[in-house]
Amino acid sequence: MTINDIVIIGAGHVANNLASAFKRIGKKIICIYSRDLNKTVKLAKMLDASYTNQLNEIPPKADLYLLAVTDKAIKEVAEELRFVSGIVAHTSGSVNISVFEKTNSDFGVFYPLMHFSSENVVDFSEIPLCIEANNELCQKALNELANAISRQVHIVSSSDRKILHLSAIFASNFTNLNYIIAEEILKKHGLSFNMLRPIIIETANKILKEKPSKLQTGPAIREDNEVIDEHIQLLNDFPQYQKIYELLTEIIIQKKKSNEL
Amino acid sequence: MTINDIVIIGAGHVANNLASAFKRIGKKIICIYSRDLNKTVKLAKMLDASYTNQLNEIPPKADLYLLAVTDKAIKEVAEELRFVSGIVAHTSGSVNISVFEKTNSDFGVFYPLMHFSSENVVDFSEIPLCIEANNELCQKALNELANAISRQVHIVSSSDRKILHLSAIFASNFTNLNYIIAEEILKKHGLSFNMLRPIIIETANKILKEKPSKLQTGPAIREDNEVIDEHIQLLNDFPQYQKIYELLTEIIIQKKKSNEL
């Protein structure tokens, strides 16, 4: 079975990006559903698709119903889609595949390990896609679709997918929080965040060639207590960031001592 | 006064990178000093410079003596360099310019806001250089040298430089620790860190165009307590990472509530 006709449930960043990628490889987006008609119309026009804000109006015979909705909405939408005959799949990092067990017969997961924070459509070729399915035929179909848009397709169980998602929180979400904290500290002293952009890009690019555990630098790994104490002083106005500084510094020192770095 | 003849004190990554950048624009590295003769010989050969491991053998009449040594060694080296006549400058983010006050007459700081963790010589053109000097002539000379290798030259006081350094700890050092933590969590479950590389690069690249406070994603900003609680459970084997997760999640939720995100 090859997936050709696709219904997209949702009109946010993930829906937008995946639908556009499918369209580019010649798949047909036959319908887009979202409660937000404004967003839906825009996306439907771009993809030459029909649209609706009523789940019961969705075409019942597509090859794939892709749920790019919030985690909490997945179960509810799946229940409303009892009447459809194609594969039903969600795009979430943390929702177990079993969410579809009671309502659908062919189902799976199509999780892109990426944050889509803008409506700019990105190139999927190097974005890891994590595929899971409840039967072999369904897995084959999702796998084939995934391989058509990305070179990084992985069959990943629900439990491993949760671990990937959790690790991405550290590597991406908490990293962005670090950028926010840095910006806030600079702003308080009238300094520009622009000055940090080169070191941020370099820090990320380095892990393309080397393990991060080989790349740690800074006062903590040197156990430079004079600098560490001064930084903790400088953070007096930011007690929470002081706590983070102390906790992370402690972890780096421990790791250095146990030869992990 | 234009800086032409340069003595480099130190043979580590910063020394290596700065000396190479100076050489490329036609400056003469007349001598390299380091206690580690092996490193020194290698660098001196590359730069067509003489070398020594005795501070008292350093040529007394260069235009610039650049101290690319550890923070703790700066004061001691400066004392040993009482006999030289050129500008003495260090490359540290955290050491006050006043370190030279009692020992030298023309002095300053030449701080590249970048981590040089490998011996690969990098392109300096976009690396921010923070310049400080104890008099106008000296500042002019350092500024001219800096502008010859970088388009991002800033006159920065010692106190502002410390703030930049501190913010870089968050944006770069602690970010690399995030990568390490992510790698460790994945490894424990037999999953590959490679899968996170695309999202790491994307997270960094996004801040080239947008403020990080506009880019926060993840379960914390959505206040998705179900996912947050599950992640905290999944981190049971890593109590320190659990603590980080809770602390950072709390900060994101607070910032969201106070409309900072």
Side-chain angles (χ1 to χ4, degrees), chain B residues 3-261:
Chain B
I3 293 168
N4 282 308
D5 293 355
I6 301 173
V7 171
I8 304 284
I9 314 288
H13 300 142
V14 176
N16 195 328
N17 272 280
L18 279 172
S20 303
F22 295 148
K23 175 88 179 166
R24 277 199 297 275
I25 54 161
K27 302 298 175 188
K28 196 165 165 47
I29 311 300
I30 59 170
C31 183
I32 295 170
Y33 160 87
S34 144
R35 282 178 303 188
D36 180 341
L37 257 193
N38 278 340
K39 270 191 188 171
T40 319
V41 171
K42 197 178 148 200
L43 187 54
K45 215 173 226 173
M46 201 175 82
L47 298 167
D48 195 21
S50 73
Y51 60 87
T52 176
N53 63 352
Q54 302 293 324
L55 277 170
N56 58 10
E57 284 178 3
I58 279 174
K61 285 195 174 167
D63 300 320
L64 172 65
Y65 295 80
L66 196 75
L67 277 57
V69 297
T70 61
D71 287 3
K72 284 168 190 166
I74 292 172
K75 197 182 169 84
E76 196 186 310
V77 172
E79 275 164 11
E80 300 271 345
L81 291 182
R82 281 173 188 272
F83 69 94
V84 304
S85 64
I87 300 169
V88 179
H90 72 66
T91 57
S92 161
S94 41
V95 176
N96 201 294
I97 189 177
S98 62
V99 69
F100 297 121
E101 244 165 34
K102 292 188 182 157
T103 47
N104 307 89
S105 54
D106 293 308
F107 54 86
V109 179
F110 199 99
Y111 169 56
L113 189 37
M114 181 53 64
H115 287 301
F116 304 100
S117 65
S118 86
E119 288 186 18
N120 290 338
V121 171
V122 304
D123 172 23
F124 266 83
S125 58
E126 298 301 333
I127 294 180
L129 294 177
C130 303
I131 300 300
E132 189 179 8
N134 73 318
N135 64 57
E136 222 170 290
L137 269 181
C138 182
Q139 181 179 301
K140 213 178 143 200
L142 289 174
N143 197 38
E144 186 188 304
L145 179 67
N147 273 294
I149 61 171
S150 169
R151 281 191 286 259
Q152 307 291 335
V153 180
H154 305 266
I155 308 294
V156 175
S157 69
S158 283
S159 57
D160 279 352
R161 179 161 38 81
K162 280 175 198 190
I163 296 298
L164 281 164
H165 185 232
L166 170 62
S167 65
I169 304 290
F170 281 91
S172 172
N173 291 157
F174 290 164
T175 285
N176 192 66
L177 179 61
N178 280 345
Y179 303 159
I180 291 172
I181 291 172
E183 188 185 29
E184 196 176 337
I185 295 169
L186 289 172
K187 198 177 169 188
K188 186 170 183 276
H189 292 85
L191 294 163
S192 164
F193 181 66
N194 280 335
M195 287 180 75
L196 288 185
R197 289 195 155 100
I199 201 171
I200 285 174
I201 300 298
E202 179 73 4
T203 303
N205 281 339
K206 274 182 176 154
I207 57 102
L208 291 178
K209 292 181 206 152
E210 184 62 274
K211 290 161 70 73
S213 52
K214 302 282 175 207
L215 294 167
Q216 194 62 41
T217 58
I221 198 169
R222 293 192 306 268
E223 276 196 75
D224 187 336
N225 290 319
E226 217 169 299
V227 171
I228 292 168
D229 289 346
E230 197 175 7
H231 284 168
I232 289 168
Q233 283 288 322
L234 288 170
L235 288 169
N236 270 340
D237 293 340
F238 298 103
Q240 279 180 315
Y241 304 159
Q242 211 168 37
K243 213 164 148 187
I244 295 172
Y245 190 100
E246 287 170 332
L247 185 56
L248 301 190
T249 295
E250 180 60 28
I251 291 173
I252 294 169
I253 292 173
Q254 274 174 23
K255 283 189 177 296
K256 172 73 178 175
K257 280 186 177 152
S258 58
N259 288 320
E260 291 174 60
L261 305 181

Side-chain angles (χ1 to χ4, degrees), chain A residues 84-151:
Chain A
V84 305
S85 65
I87 299 169
V88 179
H90 73 67
T91 57
S92 160
S94 42
V95 176
N96 202 294
I97 188 177
S98 62
V99 70
F100 296 122
E101 244 165 32
K102 292 190 182 154
T103 46
N104 308 88
S105 53
D106 293 308
F107 54 87
V109 180
F110 199 100
Y111 169 57
L113 189 35
M114 181 53 62
H115 287 303
F116 305 100
S117 63
S118 86
E119 287 187 19
N120 289 337
V121 171
V122 303
D123 173 21
F124 266 83
S125 58
E126 299 300 331
I127 295 181
L129 294 176
C130 303
I131 299 301
E132 189 179 9
N134 74 318
N135 64 56
E136 224 169 289
L137 268 180
C138 182
Q139 181 179 302
K140 216 179 140 198
L142 290 175
N143 198 38
E144 188 188 302
L145 179 67
N147 273 293
I149 60 171
S150 168
R151 282 190 286 258

